[in-house]
Amino acid sequence: MEATHAQDHGHGHPTGLMRWITTTNHKDIGTLYLWFAFIMLLAGGCLALLIRAELFQPGMQVVTPEFFNQLTTLHGLIMVFGAIMPAMVGFANWQVPMMIGAPDMAFPRMNNWSFWLLPVAAIMLVSSFFVPGGASAGGWTMYPPLFLQGGISNDMTIFAVHILGISSIMGAINIVTTILNMRAPGMTMMKMPLFVWTWLITAYLLIAVMPVLAGTVTMLLTDRHFGTNFFNAAGGGDPVMFQHIFWFFGHPEVYIMILPAFGIVSQVIPAFARKPLFGYASMVYATGSIAILSFIVWAHHMFTTGMPTSAQLFFMYATMLIAVPTGVKVFNWVATMWRGSMTFETPMLFAIGFVCLFTIGGFTGLVLAITPVDIQLQDTYYVVAHFHYVLVSGSLYAIFAGVYFWLPKWTGRMYDEKLGKLHFWLSTIFFNILFFPMHFLGLAGMPRRIPDYALQFADFNALATIGAFGFGLSQLILLVVVLKCIKSGAKAADHTWEGADSLEWTHLSSPPPYHSFVTPPVVK
Amino acid sequence: MADAQQQNSTVLKKLIIVTVLMFGFGFLLVPFYKKICEVTGISKDKIAVSNTQMDPARWVSIEFDANVGKNLPWKFEPLTAHLRVHPGEFKQVMYRVVNTTNRTMVGQAIPSYGPARAGSFFQKIECFCFTQQTLKPGEEKIMPVQFVVQNDLPKDVHTITLSYTFYEQVKADAS
């Protein structure tokens, strides 16, 4: 509150570039996060298109095998740490203070810092393509012993991960403090919109596991340069231990990417079904259960490393258990829509697309949880299909839903509904052309991360590449929609969506004032 | 206002402590992991490789002998003169050789076996007789022989004598 107070008598805040560099306003920082994520989405997307171009036909046509490995590695790192996570933090920055009736984030200056660390890390990652030996090429999971070899780009990757980790931790601390301390009078925990709940739990996950990731990449760094032997078998270390520590971070990380998406969808569906969210309390408990379970399933990523059967059984059953709270969520969304007065504007289309396609990804996840099946499918395109169904049609679709949902609030103008719907339908059609054939490729045994393949995989790969270029180009529609909305959209009503009931719709104008809720609203 | 800020910094401090603890926990996973491997018996150190080729019911005596050719004034002796082994068992013995002259000499050891037919069942894995040995004036060398007596050694052989003789190696006409 002190910080927003300081801003109040600074109404002549800097303009132009300095406004964005020095800003401590949660709305400005949210905007920065979202634009950064969009640029990274396009960058990571270009890498993916190069991958798909090479895989269009068997044989080597477009890139060298070494460069192909760099593409898959950087595509993963950029999409996870550069696109999905910053986009979710962008939503948190814009929405959390407005939804709980707070004037700003708890630590506005730290907020500024946590954003501006991101471009530093991104530049380091992207520029590693141009150092001798090229970018990291051992996969985004950075497994030793391969990662202990290789050139300076691996050090750049380690450093970039450190910076991204610091940024995420600061963002998470900010969000937790804001939610715990700065709710408007009457806004009890169980009255918070579900998006705020999911972000609270996500932020705790971030604080718990990002330091572990920082620790394990530090071990990689000291193994590389300072004579330690954590993972170096020749010196008494164990490469498999890296996988255990990495996935101790890595599995909660996938829920860090999906829980805020659950939150967004839980805001969008009730608004367009014009019914309150079905089973609010069970949604909160389900989110918490998923978060807790995420800490005891990590070894399902490593069923082929030679674990004792008892451990394989434990991780198999624990993984399957996660389907229960996730199922609760899916049924609650469906029940919310049941007999609602539904309309199908773009945000709702993306939310329904999310529910359908994410569930397909969830089911293939259950298939992969079965140890003997996983041992067959480990490192095949089936796995690639699985995690793109949960991350693209899961997290990314929720981000799209959220952007269309809140764009009228953020800008005060309506987006072009026709173009929005076109974006949804093209994305969904091409997405399925792109990723659905990968299930068949994986079942037939096509390995991932390999630039060439046997002839019998040619047709499905050509199909997937067509889908990839269609999906990639469709995303430019989003850019057009957003720019058109900002420049020339029709004036949006304050309460744009009649079914939405959270504070930003009921208490604030569209666009909201630069400093909203300077005097906290009283809830109920 | 000041009160709210106080509350915020309290939460901040707590969360920073959690962050630092979790960073430490990442490193704690290293000994933790080793301990779990040890307790559950999947530690690689614990895997004892048993020699399934060995025949523990049978003993063979090995006598080690050393001689030098008449033109080579070297001192040459086994450090172990006698050994009892099981067929299939891996063993190593050492020989000592000293050049007692005041010039650099090159020697080559030639093995022979008694009984001679045992030779084809006496498998040398490493032996100083595989290469020429160059000794400077007064130099001393301790040299290994690693061997396995094969399981199919004829039943009536109970003792094998391994005898080496060092001969001076006349400089090969390398010109």
Side-chain angles (χ1 to χ4, degrees):
Chain A
M1 294 223 179
E2 179 62 23
T4 47
H5 211 65
Q7 278 193 347
D8 281 342
H9 34 85
H11 275 299
H13 50 79
T15 51
L17 187 63
M18 283 316 280
R19 168 188 167 188
W20 297 103
I21 291 175
T22 60
T23 185
T24 55
N25 181 284
H26 73 102
K27 301 183 181 75
D28 282 354
I29 293 172
T31 306
L32 285 170
Y33 264 110
L34 286 165
W35 276 112
F36 173 80
F38 188 69
I39 292 165
M40 284 292 111
L41 179 74
L42 295 185
C46 289
L47 304 184
L49 289 185
L50 273 170
I51 293 170
R52 283 316 316 175
E54 175 55 52
L55 292 174
F56 184 53
Q57 288 186 318
M60 300 304 299
Q61 285 93 17
V62 184
V63 295
T64 60
E66 306 86 80
F67 187 58
F68 184 89
N69 292 344
Q70 299 171 24
L71 289 175
T72 53
T73 305
L74 268 280
H75 167 72
L77 285 168
I78 287 176
M79 287 305 199
V80 168
F81 293 110
I84 302 288
M85 286 171 70
M88 293 303 185
V89 182
F91 278 107
N93 263 291
W94 256 106
Q95 291 308 127
V96 166
M98 292 203 296
M99 284 175 143
I100 62 173
D104 203 303
M105 299 295 278
F107 307 108
R109 241 169 244 292
M110 189 162 87
N111 205 10
N112 171 289
W113 194 22
S114 50
F115 172 75
W116 281 106
L117 282 177
L118 287 182
V120 178
I123 288 167
M124 192 133 40
L125 267 184
V126 174
S127 62
S128 72
F129 273 116
F130 307 104
V131 300
S136 288
W140 81 278
T141 49
M142 304 179 278
Y143 280 2
L146 195 52
F147 201 79
L148 297 179
Q149 302 153 14
I152 189 172
S153 59
N154 285 358
D155 302 314
M156 295 168 82
T157 304
I158 290 172
F159 198 31
V161 168
H162 273 140
I163 297 174
L164 291 163
I166 292 169
S167 161
S168 299
I169 291 166
M170 289 197 303
I173 287 176
N174 220 334
I175 289 165
V176 169
T177 313
T178 308
I179 296 174
L180 290 186
N181 285 358
M182 298 177 66
R183 298 190 310 279
M187 175 68 78
T188 59
M189 292 298 271
M190 289 312 272
K191 274 185 194 162
M192 294 195 309
L194 207 80
F195 176 75
V196 180
W197 255 114
T198 55
W199 242 115
L200 178 65
I201 291 165
T202 304
Y204 274 119
L205 282 181
L206 277 167
I207 294 168
V209 300
M210 287 312 276
V212 176
L213 174 69
T216 189
V217 297
T218 306
M219 289 181 223
L220 283 175
L221 188 75
T222 57
D223 268 16
R224 278 171 64 81
H225 296 295
F226 303 108
T228 60
N229 288 300
F230 288 107
F231 309 125
N232 182 3
D238 189 345
V240 174
M241 184 174 70
F242 174 86
Q243 299 186 23
H244 280 287
I245 305 176
F246 178 86
W247 286 112
F248 183 84
F249 144 81
H251 203 77
E253 166 70 13
V254 306
Y255 293 109
I256 287 166
M257 290 188 280
I258 201 66
L259 290 183
F262 289 168
I264 294 171
V265 170
S266 303
Q267 299 304 127
V268 172
I269 288 180
F272 293 92
R274 289 162 184 81
K275 274 175 64 190
L277 184 67
F278 184 89
Y280 170 88
S282 69
M283 285 297 226
V284 173
Y285 297 133
T287 312
S289 313
I290 292 173
I292 291 164
L293 285 174
S294 75
F295 284 101
I296 55 162
V297 298
W298 76 89
H300 67 212
H301 295 268
M302 13 185 327
F303 278 145
T304 56
T305 55
M307 273 186 286
T309 313
S310 52
Q312 292 184 334
L313 284 173
F314 170 79
F315 286 111
M316 176 172 104
Y317 291 136
T319 304
M320 289 177 163
L321 201 56
I322 292 186
V324 176
T326 314
V328 167
K329 284 180 165 293
V330 172
F331 283 119
N332 279 350
W333 290 320
V334 174
T336 307
M337 288 188 270
W338 179 252
R339 295 192 168 173
S341 316
M342 290 211 285
T343 50
F344 298 93
E345 286 87 348
T346 312
M348 186 60 164
L349 289 177
F350 272 109
I352 295 173
F354 169 96
V355 174
C356 298
L357 297 174
F358 171 81
T359 305
I360 293 178
F363 278 134
T364 54
L366 267 177
V367 172
L368 288 168
I370 305 166
T371 309
V373 178
D374 181 82
I375 289 170
Q376 294 295 312
L377 295 176
Q378 162 95 14
D379 265 342
T380 67
Y381 263 83
Y382 193 86
V383 178
V384 177
H386 157 67
F387 68 71
H388 282 94
Y389 263 83
V390 289
L391 278 177
V392 179
S393 60
S395 303
L396 190 63
Y397 265 39
I399 289 168
F400 290 158
V403 167
Y404 284 105
F405 185 57
W406 282 303
L407 207 51
K409 175 55 66 182
W410 296 340
T411 62
R413 294 168 183 276
M414 271 315 275
Y415 61 88
D416 186 326
E417 191 64 56
K418 272 214 177 81
L419 277 180
K421 281 182 172 151
L422 184 71
H423 176 214
F424 169 76
W425 285 110
L426 287 180
S427 291
T428 303
I429 291 166
F430 282 119
F431 169 83
N432 284 293
I433 294 176
L434 163 56
F435 289 112
F436 209 80
M438 289 186 187
H439 291 112
F440 306 129
L441 287 171
L443 289 169
M446 179 173 164
R448 64 191 279 215
R449 292 173 172 161
I450 307 282
D452 193 5
Y453 51 83
L455 289 180
Q456 69 264 30
F457 303 134
D459 292 348
F460 277 139
N461 270 296
L463 194 62
T465 299
I466 293 167
F469 279 84
F471 184 77
L473 293 174
S474 304
Q475 304 321 308
L476 297 177
I477 300 173
L478 177 64
L479 183 63
V480 173
V481 171
V482 172
L483 291 178
K484 211 176 144 198
C485 170
I486 294 169
K487 282 192 114 164
S488 58
K491 179 86 188 75
D494 290 349
H495 200 156
T496 317
W497 314 109
E498 55 180 29
D501 61 354
S502 45
L503 290 182
E504 81 276 25
W505 302 111
T506 53
H507 283 63
L508 293 176
S509 59
S510 296
Y514 196 61
H515 300 294
S516 45
F517 292 134
V518 178
T519 320
V522 178
V523 181
K524 305 252 157 92
Chain B
M1 287 275 173
D3 193 36
Q5 206 179 21
Q6 186 65 42
Q7 276 181 6
N8 284 355
S9 53
T10 312
V11 176
L12 175 70
K13 275 176 208 152
K14 282 183 190 162
L15 293 176
I16 287 175
I17 290 170
V18 174
T19 306
V20 173
L21 285 179
M22 286 312 292
F23 185 73
F25 179 73
F27 283 88
L28 205 64
L29 283 172
V30 176
F32 202 55
Y33 171 77
K34 300 233 158 94
K35 201 78 210 163
I36 285 180
C37 290
E38 221 177 274
V39 170
T40 55
I42 49 176
S43 166
K44 57 194 177 306
D45 309 330
K46 284 262 169 113
I47 299 170
V49 182
S50 61
N51 183 352
T52 56
Q53 307 294 309
M54 196 170 73
D55 178 1
R58 191 175 164 198
W59 286 101
V60 180
S61 289
I62 316 284
E63 308 288 341
F64 298 98
D65 181 39
N67 311 288
V68 284
K70 55 181 184 244
N71 298 330
L72 190 69
W74 283 8
K75 193 166 179 251
F76 178 43
E77 60 185 11
L79 296 186
T80 315
H82 172 84
L83 209 59
R84 266 159 58 84
V85 302
H86 296 295
E89 192 181 5
F90 174 85
K91 282 288 177 187
Q92 169 170 300
V93 293
M94 306 303 277
Y95 274 78
R96 191 168 82 101
V97 63
V98 186
N99 181 358
T100 53
T101 69
N102 53 8
R103 63 194 170 96
T104 301
M105 295 184 80
V106 181
Q108 169 86 50
I110 306 293
S112 68
Y113 304 93
R117 65 194 169 100
S120 49
F121 303 97
F122 194 95
Q123 192 184 355
K124 294 191 295 298
I125 291 128
E126 172 61 53
C127 178
F128 57 88
C129 59
F130 290 170
T131 53
Q132 297 180 353
Q133 304 294 333
T134 306
L135 271 75
K136 293 195 192 81
E139 187 183 348
E140 177 186 330
K141 259 191 193 173
I142 307 286
M143 306 173 298
V145 184
Q146 298 176 336
F147 65 91
V148 174
V149 176
Q150 283 171 0
N151 268 324
D152 46 359
L153 180 75
K155 293 282 178 214
D156 57 331
V157 177
H158 302 289
T159 304
I160 302 171
T161 305
L162 171 61
S163 173
Y164 285 104
T165 308
F166 249 114
Y167 294 101
E168 177 171 17
Q169 196 68 22
V170 183
K171 286 254 168 64
D173 32 15
S175 58

